[in-house]
Amino acid sequence: AAQVGLYSAKRLKQASSVRITNKVPIPVQVDGEPEMFDKNGEINVTFGSQALMLAHSSQSASHAAAAEVIEWGISKGLIAADKRNDLMRHIASKAGSSKAA
């Protein structure tokens, strides 16, 4: 990050769509990689979807394995993205119910 002059980051607010324009070159970080954002540049960022996270529990290893299998199914074209979300929600609910037990 220091290679492009990025020594500190500025956190943006939450939004469904953002347009970033600049009049001078500025250093930025994209997916953890330092980049130089050119003069008179414009970036449009739009919300795509949410990522589901599993809660840590005593059964987290088995839930992580289930999530890994689901991701494998998507990569092989065996599971559709909407079904992935349903399955991940089900796994997350099971993780929550095992904590209450």
Side-chain angles (χ1 to χ4, degrees):
Q3 294 130 350
V4 293
L6 184 62
Y7 297 103
S8 64
K10 179 151 181 110
R11 185 174 294 274
L12 301 175
K13 302 297 181 196
Q14 185 175 0
S16 60
S17 156
V18 176
R19 177 182 295 159
I20 302 169
T21 57
N22 63 307
K23 296 182 181 187
V24 297
I26 56 172
V28 296
Q29 190 171 0
V30 178
D31 290 335
E33 296 296 323
E35 297 284 336
M36 189 58 85
F37 188 20
D38 292 333
K39 177 181 178 181
N40 297 321
E42 180 175 297
I43 296 176
N44 293 304
V45 181
T46 304
F47 174 76
S49 64
Q50 284 184 289
L52 296 172
M53 301 294 170
L54 297 177
H56 179 70
S57 73
S58 60
Q59 296 180 346
S60 63
S62 62
H63 295 150
E68 191 174 311
V69 169
I70 291 169
E71 294 301 329
W72 172 84
I74 286 180
S75 72
K76 298 295 183 184
L78 302 171
I79 300 174
D82 62 327
K83 296 302 175 193
R84 173 205 177 270
N85 294 340
D86 291 342
L87 290 166
M88 294 298 278
R89 271 191 282 280
H90 185 70
I91 292 169
S93 72
K94 290 293 183 184
S97 66
S98 67
K99 280 184 176 179

